[in-house]
Amino acid sequence: MQAAVALADADGIESLSMRKLARDLGVEAMSLYYHVKSKDDILDGMIESVIDEMALPAADAEWKSALGERAESARRVLGRHPWAISMVDQRTTPTTMRHLDTVIGCLRHAGFSIAMAAHAMSLLDSYVHGFALQEASLPLDESGDIGATTEDILAQQGMTAAFPHLAEMGVELILQPGYAYGNEFAFGLRVILDGLEAAFTAEARSRA
């Protein structure tokens, strides 16, 4: 599956075909069918390979730091494999199910109700996948900087007057030394985890 993942990383998931994969492996396309039933089997295996790269919490881990580490890990992994962002939730495999089950187990061990665990997973995964999609879509340079694009936009005649608030953000934030869009992830993650902690505490008090 590593060859298929490497092919998708380099050229996008649209480039993946049995013929191209066979060529990269140095075999005939038909010989692949001795190992897999269809392209769907390959896609499932690719997603399992990506999921395996993501950090998983131990069952008895402190939930807040464990989920934070998982979120940061998932974002890094999806950044390496942007083609997988739209596929992670589409394909159900033993590996994806085991990953989700482990996260639920960590939350349940910490005292989360099933409903609150579902809220936590939905909120965090939506944020991670959405942020990863934005990073893959924005015109960022290799360092994660969007400054060059911002400068080009602000240099267009009339842009500052037409969009003063965007111009203010560009000049006072984005174009300042050290700014990188990726740094926004930590802020959002902290807000979400703090909010979940408050909701979890309130739920626990209501049951006491």
Side-chain angles (χ1 to χ4, degrees):
M1 293 304 165
Q2 293 305 315
V5 169
L7 185 60
D9 288 346
D11 301 320
I13 195 66
E14 302 81 7
S15 70
L16 182 67
S17 67
M18 299 294 275
R19 181 182 302 174
K20 188 173 291 187
L21 179 58
R23 185 188 63 200
D24 283 7
L25 292 172
V27 300
E28 293 295 326
M30 289 304 297
S31 68
L32 289 178
Y33 290 102
Y34 288 107
H35 306 283
V36 295
K37 294 180 181 178
S38 66
K39 185 178 176 180
D40 272 341
D41 285 348
I42 292 177
L43 294 174
D44 283 347
M46 292 168 68
I47 289 300
E48 290 198 326
S49 178
V50 169
I51 293 293
D52 277 337
E53 294 182 35
M54 298 180 183
L56 265 182
D60 59 350
E62 193 281 316
W63 74 267
K64 192 174 181 182
S65 60
L67 262 62
E69 291 171 6
R70 172 183 177 262
E72 290 168 352
S73 172
R75 176 211 168 194
R76 289 193 300 270
V77 171
L78 293 175
R80 292 195 294 269
H81 311 294
W83 55 268
I85 298 170
S86 62
M87 295 177 60
V88 167
D89 293 325
Q90 293 178 0
R91 313 198 75 83
T92 301
T93 73
T95 297
T96 59
M97 298 293 281
R98 184 167 54 252
H99 185 98
L100 295 173
D101 190 73
T102 301
V103 177
I104 295 171
C106 175
L107 292 169
R108 291 291 282 157
H109 185 271
F112 277 62
S113 66
I114 282 293
M116 189 61 70
H119 296 331
M121 291 179 63
S122 176
L123 187 56
L124 281 165
D125 286 355
S126 296
Y127 176 63
V128 172
H129 296 176
F131 196 94
L133 182 61
Q134 279 192 309
E135 283 192 297
S137 304
L138 287 171
L140 307 174
D141 65 19
E142 293 183 359
S143 69
D145 186 13
I146 198 173
T149 299
T150 302
E151 288 179 337
D152 290 343
I153 292 173
L154 292 178
Q156 296 178 31
Q157 185 174 4
M159 290 297 289
T160 299
F163 307 106
H165 303 302
L166 285 172
E168 178 186 28
M169 181 176 289
V171 172
E172 297 190 14
L173 179 66
I174 297 173
L175 295 180
Q176 293 301 308
Y179 178 82
Y181 175 74
N183 294 337
E184 302 290 350
F185 183 78
F187 177 83
L189 181 59
R190 185 169 64 251
V191 169
I192 290 171
L193 290 173
D194 287 348
L196 284 172
E197 184 176 41
F200 171 48
T201 300
E203 182 189 58
R205 287 174 179 166
S206 70
R207 297 200 306 257

